[in-house]
């Protein structure tokens, strides 16, 4: 019930392409869905987040799409760059539960 | 730089030993969170403190304990260490209170148990 599933485990994309990472959850009590970016040797950093009352949120090249009925959300990285190569984690939260993280997706963007 | 500091960066110890990891939150942040990141378990929430009080508990083992001091820094104590405790331990801080305010992660402490 508290699990957040994430796919794919790893992703290779050409420079300029679109990277898509998907997450799914079970517990409908979750009400906040952030994405974190982690570079090797660094801690995760918040990238973008969404609440379930909107279906899409865009910040620069990063977009979250949210499907409340399917209990799924995804991260789209447009015009992917080699500097985007990192591990991406989705997460879900509700007050009292704190954050539950997906297992992560390792993205490699080829030059 | 997130503004969250963690010491030490690396720690190598033996099974059965006890270690203390230290975290200083960003200036003004009242909440501190501890996470364990291992290859097979991903990022696991351990515990949260808010202004000195325990706020939420996650998958924290009984061998582990934490506290937040009056100056808001926090320590995570790991005892009777096992090989499986080898992992990256992250501290994060946020402004605090109720709700999912932005967490800022420190650089982590890499613990190796031999």
């Amino acid at each position: 019930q508290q699990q957040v599933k994430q796919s794919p485990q790893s992703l290779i994309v050409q420079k300029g392409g679109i990277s898509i990472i998907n997450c799914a959850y079970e517990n409908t009590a979750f009400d906040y869905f952030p994405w974190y970016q982690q570079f090797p040797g660094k801690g995760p950093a918040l990238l973008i987040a969404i609440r379930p009352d909107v279906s899409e949120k865009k910040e620069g090249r990063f977009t979250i799409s949210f499907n409340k009925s399917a209990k799924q959300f995804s991260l789209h990285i447009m015009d992917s760059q080699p500097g985007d190569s990192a591990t991406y984690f989705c997460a879900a939260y509700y007050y009292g539960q704190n954050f539950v993280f997906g297992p992560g997706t390792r993205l490699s963007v080829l030059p | 730089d997130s503004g969250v500091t963690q010491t030490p960066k690396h720690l190598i110890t033996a099974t059965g030993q006890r270690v203390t990891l230290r975290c200083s939150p960003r200036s003004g942040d009242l909440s501190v969170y501890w996470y364990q990141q291992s290859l097979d378990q991903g990022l696991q929430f351990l515990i949260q403190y808010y202004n000195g009080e325990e706020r939420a508990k996650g998958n924290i083992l009984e061998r582990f304990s934490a506290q937040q001091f009056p100056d808001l820094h926090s320590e995570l104590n790991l005892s009777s260490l096992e090989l499986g405790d080898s992992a990256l331990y992250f501290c994060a801080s946020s402004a605090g209170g109720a709700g999912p305010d932005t967490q800022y992660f420190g650089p982590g402490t890499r613990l190796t148990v031999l």
Side-chain angles (χ1 to χ4, degrees):
Chain A
Q1 267 267 322
Q2 304 303 343
Q3 204 177 11
V4 174
K5 296 180 181 178
Q6 183 173 347
S7 63
Q9 194 172 5
S10 62
L11 181 61
I12 299 174
V13 173
Q14 292 287 339
K15 178 182 174 183
I18 302 174
S19 304
I20 301 174
I21 305 170
N22 301 298
C23 284
Y25 62 98
E26 287 296 321
N27 192 338
T28 55
F30 288 129
D31 61 4
Y32 178 73
F33 302 89
W35 284 89
Y36 286 83
Q37 180 188 55
Q38 184 179 24
F39 293 105
K42 304 286 187 183
L46 179 65
L47 192 60
I48 186 173
I50 197 168
R51 295 262 191 192
D53 52 348
V54 297
S55 60
E56 187 175 282
K57 183 174 181 180
K58 185 176 181 178
E59 290 184 4
R61 297 184 293 109
F62 300 92
T63 299
I64 299 179
S65 297
F66 189 85
N67 186 328
K68 190 174 181 178
S69 60
K71 292 185 282 186
Q72 295 175 349
F73 57 110
S74 59
L75 175 69
H76 295 236
I77 306 174
M78 313 299 288
D79 187 27
S80 298
Q81 299 296 312
D84 297 329
S85 297
T87 300
Y88 292 81
F89 295 92
C90 61
Y93 169 97
Y94 67 87
Y95 182 72
Q97 168 59 37
N98 230 288
F99 288 88
V100 179
F101 285 80
T105 295
R106 183 171 291 184
L107 171 66
S108 297
V109 181
L110 303 179
Chain B
D1 184 4
S2 66
V4 178
T5 60
Q6 288 187 249
T7 57
K9 263 192 140 171
H10 302 276
L11 199 48
I12 301 174
T13 188
T15 54
Q17 294 298 305
R18 172 190 169 95
V19 298
T20 298
L21 313 183
R22 182 188 168 103
C23 168
S24 292
R26 289 189 330 149
S27 177
D29 282 356
L30 298 180
S31 266
V32 169
Y33 309 76
W34 285 98
Y35 292 88
Q36 180 191 58
Q37 185 176 42
S38 57
L39 282 174
D40 58 344
Q41 291 285 326
L43 200 61
Q44 299 284 321
F45 166 69
L46 295 178
I47 197 165
Q48 178 200 359
Y49 278 83
Y50 172 74
N51 204 21
E53 300 288 327
E54 183 182 304
R55 171 63 66 89
K57 218 166 187 175
N59 301 321
I60 188 166
L61 300 172
E62 285 192 13
R63 300 183 285 109
F64 296 0
S65 65
Q67 54 184 326
Q68 186 179 28
F69 295 88
D71 67 352
L72 301 177
H73 90 271
S74 178
E75 292 181 356
L76 179 67
N77 300 295
L78 316 176
S79 61
S80 302
L81 285 167
E82 302 175 358
L83 295 177
D85 297 327
S86 296
L88 267 169
Y89 290 84
F90 286 105
C91 165
S93 76
S94 71
D101 54 337
T102 301
Q103 295 186 18
Y104 296 87
F105 282 78
T109 293
R110 182 174 292 279
L111 173 66
T112 302
V113 182
L114 301 176

